[in-house]
Amino acid sequence: MTDLSAETVIVTGASRGLGASMARRLTREGANVVLSARDEAALDDVAADVADAPGETLVAPADVTDEAAVEALVDATVDAFGAPTGLVNNAGVGMLSLHDELRDTVTVDADDWRLILEVNLTGAFLCAKHAVPHMVAAGRGNVINVSSGLGRRAAAGWGPYVASKWGLEGFSRTLADEVEADGVNVNCLDPGGRAATGFWDHLPEAERDGVLPPDVMDDAITLLLAQGPDGVTRESLPAEEWEERLDA
Ligand code: NAP
């Protein structure tokens, strides 16, 4: 087991799917974990799952697109546990979170485009904007942005999602350059394929073969959050490759 008892980690999108699984695992590794998403009842259920874990939880609902709500989330973290040492920007929306079919770019509703960019990219920016200064002040911290294979390649029908994840990759590297001297690592992590979550709710059953379990990123996120000030930074890898890189 990795000892994360010195860590205070904010996990967005912690109400279900990959985020809920990572948040539960981090609590079991001893971290104090701030569970955030919009659905408070679902966050309460996740907290109840790990009530006996060594780490503590704080349920702090927030819409990541709302800067005042994000600011309040970081303030609540500081009040409960002290400065955050980890931020997992996991909240995300895909094309199939909104519709039961993919859409070529010229048929995408502008409001859907804006929503996907707002949640996946602006949301990560806002959380980093308010959490990272605490890490810089402490001289250590880890920001992990949950990306996708579609942060490295393109796929027809996924226009705004691809744009959001490529944007997230560029944003991550820029932030990494800005805070490396302050001891803060900024990296991207993705499942390495489709993971069985509500993200694929609208995908026909016949196309769901080969999906990865929802805990696919749990080992990698644990290793990433255990990194000290001189850790790997400015990198983007799927979960399995992070495990090989950091478990050596
Ligand atoms: P999911 O089951 O649909 O969960 C998405 C999470 O994001 C939920 O907790 C949701 O909570 C939260 N969320 C959505 N909009 C939000 C908002 N405006 N403010 C705050 N939270 C919001 O999806 P998932 O598969 O776990 O995906 C998690 C991350 O992994 C995403 O970034 C996704 O792009 C990435 N990813 C997933 C896969 C995959 O195959 N599943 C593959 C590659 C990358 P509320 O609705 O309660 O707000």
Side-chain angles (χ1 to χ4, degrees):
M1 284 219 358
T2 313
D3 181 11
L4 294 183
S5 58
E7 308 306 318
T8 291
V9 184
I10 298 171
V11 181
T12 70
S15 58
R16 58 179 188 267
L18 297 163
S21 185
M22 288 189 286
R24 281 191 289 257
R25 172 65 178 274
L26 295 172
T27 311
R28 292 188 186 112
E29 301 286 352
N32 291 330
V33 179
V34 180
L35 305 165
S36 195
R38 294 163 304 172
D39 184 342
E40 187 167 2
L43 294 172
D44 285 338
D45 288 345
V46 175
D49 290 343
V50 286
D52 295 334
E56 290 181 45
T57 54
L58 171 72
V59 168
D63 182 328
V64 292
T65 68
D66 176 347
E67 183 164 11
V70 169
E71 220 173 336
L73 162 64
V74 175
D75 288 347
T77 303
V78 173
D79 288 348
F81 302 127
T85 61
L87 169 65
V88 183
N89 278 316
N90 166 77
V93 178
M95 292 303 288
L96 295 174
S97 314
L98 304 177
H99 303 290
D100 56 8
E101 83 280 322
L102 296 177
R103 296 196 174 171
D104 284 348
T105 306
V106 293
T107 67
V108 170
D109 292 339
D111 284 344
D112 288 351
W113 177 280
R114 290 190 189 97
L115 176 70
I116 292 171
L117 269 289
E118 277 284 302
V119 176
N120 299 5
L121 182 54
T122 307
F125 153 68
L126 290 173
C127 291
K129 178 180 173 182
H130 291 284
V132 169
H134 292 283
M135 301 180 193
V136 168
R140 73 177 192 98
N142 285 287
V143 177
I144 295 99
N145 292 325
V146 176
S147 186
S148 164
L150 295 184
R152 294 182 209 101
R153 56 189 168 79
W158 285 89
Y161 185 78
V162 168
S164 74
K165 295 296 186 182
W166 281 59
L168 188 65
E169 295 272 343
F171 158 64
S172 299
R173 279 171 224 176
T174 304
L175 182 63
D177 288 343
E178 291 167 353
V179 296
E180 184 172 9
D182 299 301
V184 180
N185 311 307
V186 183
N187 291 294
C188 288
L189 162 69
D190 67 272
R194 286 179 183 169
T197 70
F199 192 82
W200 298 106
D201 269 356
H202 292 159
L203 191 72
E205 204 63 51
E207 294 173 34
R208 292 192 189 190
D209 52 336
V211 293
L212 300 159
D215 65 358
V216 61
M217 300 199 295
D218 291 6
D219 288 343
I221 198 70
T222 303
L223 292 165
L224 278 159
L225 285 162
Q227 289 208 110
D230 292 324
V232 177
T233 191
R234 206 181 187 275
E235 187 61 274
S236 174
L237 295 171
E240 210 174 295
E241 289 183 37
W242 273 121
E243 289 165 39
E244 287 164 13
R245 179 88 176 256
L246 298 179
D247 208 11

